[in-house]
Amino acid sequence: MLSPITRPACFRLAPHIKRSSVPLKQFRHFATVEANTPRAAPIPSRTRATSVSHDRATFTIRDGPVFNGKSFGAKSNISGEAVFTTSLVGYPESLTDPSYRGQILVFTQPLIGNYGIPSAARDENGLLRYFESPNLQAAGVVVADVAEQYSHWTAVKSLGEWCAEEGVPAVSGVDTRAIVTFLREQGSSLARITIGEEYDADQDEAFVDPEQINLVSKVSTKAPFHVSSSTGDFHVAVIDCGVKENILRSLVGRGASVTCFPYDYPIHKVAHHFDGVFISNGPGDPTHCQDTVYHLRRLMESSQIPVMGICLGHQLLALASGARTIKLKYGNRAHNIPALDLTTGRCHITSQNHGYAVDATTLAPDWKEYFVNLNDSSNEGIIHKSRPIFGTQFHPEARGGPLDSSYLFDTYLESVGRYKRSQAVFQPQRDPRPSPLLVDLLAKERVGVVPTTGMENLMRMGSAGEEAARAA
């Protein structure tokens, strides 16, 4: 089991190798094993950090209005897709959600920042207690009014200080009602944040569309990592498309140790070592993840293992089954969206963050709709008619609340338990529990994920990488 899962990139190099002047790649296979390696707290990326800027700021929507305000974050100019959320609370969780990578997040709640930003404390499983990932993921922040003075027992800094540390520009003093009205009428639009400069219409050509980038490749771990559970003996493989910490917590807290794989890992080749497969949330257009779709299709063709997907994971599951996805006009991003369970007739208030949805009219005969959005009638879930496979567009883990649908994790793990027991009957020698050696060798947090740098810098980094590859 060890060889197909582990990669040299997840090993910790020995101290003498670090001190050597020989190129690192020559030592690729030298490694030392450190038992029970702790999950270290994230270190802010000081190369992106700036002091808090209070300069003039301009928020410009392409082919739309221009809004003048005041900066309260990093002194950095960026572009991205402008989207809005109607969530009243949970801005630390929202801003660290990898699904927001490449997007400028507009808050409809008039006052943001009044309870500050908490510390990067970790729980008993080594997972971030208050954040969904180690870094701020949104490309930019737009609010009507920001609270520079905060008050909360968990707070250690202001929202502005945090944005500046993370290199993310933020704008206040703009009419967010007018912004949301435009986005609802015209749909999600490309936008720019400019700090300390006058707006120049000629710069419209510089707008960058994050939908043209495979954003999942930016937020997914580059090598497997493992989080152990002390309360059960399930072992679940998680396809990390930008997994939120609370998804991992929801699995680990229910007795499932998780091994997280890169989004494009051939999961069908190692699924027999696990009790279940889980596909996480993530950013951007699901059609960029063709390798993931192929691997999921192979998995469902070759295995009866239980599978659950959330958000982007739900969309990838649908694509693998032969269905299609569509881009919504302005998406659904809120903590209070009603979703109807078509199998029970019950309505759940759900947390959502997505710009794409599954076209339920394209589902294969073996699949049916599971949930439907009662606001816009878009699809909110699919389920296989005879196998333990389902996905939800909304977030049952909902760290910022509500928790109406958290029972879906119990439903999934019940099917994992049944599968595990059935495998024990037919394969008495099978033991899917992670070996101590595997646990020691694998990293304990995401590997090689680069923090957000704004879409212009992201495109520049990608172009530089392509040029370097051609030169090599």
Side-chain angles (χ1 to χ4, degrees), residues 119-454:
S119 70
R122 300 201 176 240
D123 62 17
E124 63 277 8
N125 297 308
L127 296 166
L128 290 164
R129 190 179 298 276
Y130 305 114
F131 299 142
E132 294 292 7
S133 70
N135 294 99
L136 202 160
Q137 297 289 343
V141 180
V142 178
V143 303
D145 189 17
V146 63
E148 296 184 358
Q149 300 296 323
Y150 57 86
S151 178
H152 197 271
W153 67 273
T154 63
V156 296
K157 66 187 69 172
S158 70
L159 176 59
E161 291 170 336
W162 185 44
C163 288
E165 286 182 2
E166 293 285 330
V168 174
V171 182
S172 66
V174 297
D175 187 350
T176 53
R177 295 172 298 179
I179 295 173
V180 171
T181 298
F182 180 88
L183 295 178
R184 284 181 64 90
E185 293 175 352
Q186 302 298 321
S188 298
S189 306
L190 299 183
R192 291 177 56 86
I193 292 179
T194 306
I195 307 299
E197 299 177 10
E198 295 289 340
Y199 169 69
D200 183 353
D202 293 336
Q203 292 297 316
D204 279 358
E205 297 179 358
F207 285 92
V208 178
D209 185 359
E211 297 300 327
Q212 303 304 315
I213 303 170
N214 183 357
L215 295 172
V216 173
S217 67
K218 308 298 180 183
V219 298
S220 175
T221 184
K222 303 304 180 287
F225 69 94
H226 182 84
V227 183
S228 296
S229 173
S230 60
T231 60
D233 60 356
F234 296 147
H235 191 191
V236 171
V238 174
I239 300 176
D240 175 20
C241 300
V243 65
K244 295 164 67 175
E245 293 279 295
N246 206 42
I247 288 179
L248 299 180
R249 184 180 292 106
S250 296
L251 293 170
V252 172
R254 287 172 168 82
S257 295
V258 297
T259 298
C260 299
F261 293 89
Y263 79 101
D264 55 354
Y265 194 92
I267 196 65
H268 59 285
K269 295 183 178 180
V270 297
H272 59 283
H273 293 296
F274 296 90
D275 301 314
V277 171
F278 192 98
I279 319 160
S280 84
N281 64 293
D285 186 344
T287 60
H288 284 306
C289 302
Q290 290 301 314
D291 287 343
T292 311
V293 171
Y294 171 75
H295 297 150
L296 288 174
R297 185 179 298 120
R298 291 288 305 276
L299 173 69
M300 291 189 289
E301 291 172 350
S302 60
S303 174
Q304 295 294 315
I305 195 169
V307 182
M308 177 179 176
I310 286 180
C311 198
L312 180 71
H314 156 73
Q315 298 163 10
L316 296 175
L317 192 60
L319 290 174
S321 71
R324 293 196 298 267
T325 56
I326 56 175
K327 183 172 175 59
L328 300 175
K329 184 176 181 179
Y330 49 81
N332 289 310
R333 299 173 181 86
H335 288 172
N336 60 347
I337 297 179
L340 179 66
D341 184 341
L342 297 176
T343 65
T344 65
R346 294 179 178 178
C347 177
H348 304 284
I349 302 302
T350 64
S351 174
Q352 301 192 17
N353 171 20
H354 61 97
Y356 289 81
V358 173
D359 183 352
T361 65
T362 64
L363 289 174
D366 290 338
W367 294 78
K368 64 180 180 180
E369 271 198 289
Y370 193 176
F371 292 89
V372 64
N373 188 310
L374 291 180
N375 285 345
D376 61 11
S377 299
S378 62
N379 175 262
E380 291 289 350
I382 60 174
I383 187 170
H384 197 278
K385 293 181 179 179
S386 60
R387 295 172 58 184
I389 307 175
F390 71 94
T392 65
Q393 186 62 73
F394 54 84
H395 288 266
E397 83 288 347
R399 185 60 173 175
L403 300 176
D404 294 32
S405 55
S406 60
Y407 73 90
L408 290 170
F409 284 98
D410 300 314
T411 301
Y412 169 64
L413 289 175
E414 286 172 3
S415 65
V416 167
R418 288 192 294 270
Y419 175 77
K420 182 181 178 71
R421 290 189 293 272
S422 69
Q423 293 300 299
V425 172
F426 296 106
Q427 303 178 44
Q429 304 302 319
R430 177 180 181 270
D431 184 5
R433 292 177 300 177
S435 69
L437 178 60
L438 175 67
V439 173
D440 287 343
L441 287 177
L442 291 183
K444 303 301 182 290
E445 60 184 343
R446 296 170 177 84
V447 178
V449 178
V450 179
T452 184
T453 55

Side-chain angles (χ1 to χ4, degrees), residues 78-91:
I78 58 92
S79 70
E81 181 185 25
V83 300
F84 65 90
T85 176
T86 62
S87 302
L88 302 181
V89 296
Y91 56 86

